[in-house]
Each structure stands twice: as structure tokens, then as C-alpha cells.
């Protein structure tokens, strides 16, 4: 694990050193950072989005999760928990909303559905009208062999915990 610079250093977070930067193998929008795990189909997406309307943290998290389910054409989606973790580091990074849920999605025109554990961290940058959304996609059932067993899920869940609790906004001008 090491500190990784995101968006040209405007944001930092602690992440595994062996992640593959997806922009090195495919086009990634300027508003996203995408990382792939080398030994599974798990991925991390960090997005800078316009702030959504719900003020309540649980409603805002549900909105982002439901948007992801819609974008994934999920056959089923379920939120299992939503929590607010205060930022007690003394910097200006907002407290993080942490969501856990599952989605059944069809990947790459396959006939069967994959079960994907979704771990989401949302940072509401109110003064910049921005939501930063970090999504860890962890397949637990997959036709392509990229699913993780219980131990693999626990390892990536610990990566999510470290990433989400260490994320720090260094340069708020990113959201100008």
C-alpha cells in the first residue's frame, strides 16, 4: 500500500501498489480515475460528479447507488448498509458516506448474471457543488473466473476501508 495521486495530485489516497491504471490500456473520461486489480475482475472508480439534490446523507448515497445500478442495467440491486464516518484528521476533506450493497449485472453480453459487491464512498464537497464518488466493484460470482472468494473479498474490503478513510483533497481548485 502506498499513497497514490489522483487527478494530477489534487486528491490523494492510500491504495495497493500493484493496481493497473486503466487509462494506460483504454480511454478514461477526465472526470474519472479507474484502477484494475491484476489478479481478478475487481476495479476501483473515482468520479468527480455534480452534487446530487438529496441533502440527507443516506438519500444521497442511495441516489448514487441507484444511478450505478441503472448504468449497469442491474437485474437486482440491494443496499446493505450506509454509514457516515467523520473526518477527524483536521483537513478540509468532507466526512465520508460509506455504502455497501450488491448488484446482479450482465457483463460483456454474457448470458449469466454476475454478483458484484459494491463498496461506495461519497464525499460531498458542498461549497463546490460536487460529489466525489469512489466505487470498488468486487465480483463474488462471475462466469469469467474473475470472482473473488471470501478471503479475497475481505482483502479488498480492507483496501476500500484504507482508501476511503485516507482520501484527502489537496487542491480544491480541481472543482472550479
Amino acid at each position: 500500500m502506498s499513497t497514490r495521486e489522483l487527478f494530477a495530485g489534487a486528491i490523494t489516497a492510500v491504495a495497493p501498489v500493484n493496481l493497473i491504471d486503466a487509462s494506460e490500456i483504454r480511454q478514461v473520461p477526465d472526470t474519472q480515475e479507474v484502477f484494475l486489480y491484476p489478479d481478478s475482475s475487481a476495479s476501483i472508480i473515482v468520479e468527480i460528479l455534480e452534487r446530487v439534490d438529496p441533502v440527507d446523507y443516506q438519500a444521497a448515497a442511495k441516489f448514487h447507488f441507484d444511478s450505478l445500478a441503472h448504468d449497469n442495467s442491474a437485474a437486482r440491486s440491494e443496499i446493505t448498509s450506509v454509514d457516515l464516518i467523520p473526518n477527524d484528521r483536521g483537513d478540509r476533506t468532507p466526512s465520508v458516506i460509506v455504502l455497501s450493497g450488491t448488484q446482479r449485472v450482465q457483463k460483456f453480453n454474457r448470458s449469466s448474471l454476475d454478483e458484484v459487491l459494491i463498496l461506495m464512498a461519497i464525499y460531498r464537497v458542498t461549497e463546490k457543488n460536487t460529489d466525489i464518488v469512489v466505487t470498488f466493484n468486487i465480483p463474488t460470482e462471475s462466469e469469467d473466473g474473475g470472482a473473488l472468494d471470501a478471503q479475497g473479498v475481505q482483502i479488498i474490503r480492507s483496501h476500500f476501508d484504507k482508501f476511503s478513510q485516507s482520501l484527502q483533497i489537496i487542491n480544491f481548485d480541481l472543482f472550479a
Side-chain angles (χ1 to χ4, degrees), residues 26-113:
R26 65 176 165 92
Q27 187 137 3
V28 173
D30 290 343
T31 57
Q32 290 184 352
E33 294 271 2
V34 179
F35 302 99
L36 310 171
Y37 277 82
D39 50 0
S40 72
S41 294
S43 64
I44 302 169
I45 301 171
V46 182
E47 293 182 275
I48 309 249
L49 300 171
E50 184 175 341
R51 189 175 193 273
V52 298
D53 284 337
V55 175
D56 174 73
Y57 77 88
Q58 291 178 323
K62 182 179 181 335
F63 183 96
H64 285 296
F65 181 81
D66 290 347
S67 293
L68 179 63
H70 177 267
D71 291 347
N72 287 340
S73 300
R76 181 180 58 75
S77 64
E78 178 184 7
I79 295 172
T80 53
S81 67
V82 179
D83 297 296
L84 181 64
I85 301 172
N87 174 4
D88 56 7
R89 294 186 309 241
D91 60 54
R92 291 179 48 213
T93 302
S95 296
V96 60
I97 304 163
V98 176
L99 176 147
S100 179
T102 57
Q103 296 182 1
R104 296 280 298 171
V105 298
Q106 188 174 10
K107 296 275 191 161
F108 312 114
N109 299 318
R110 285 189 241 136
S111 57
S112 64
L113 296 175

Side-chain angles (χ1 to χ4, degrees), residues 132-154:
I132 301 169
V133 179
V134 176
T135 306
F136 277 54
N137 300 287
I138 308 167
T140 57
E141 294 175 25
S142 178
E143 194 176 278
D144 71 359
L148 286 118
D149 61 15
Q151 181 181 3
V153 168
Q154 279 309 112

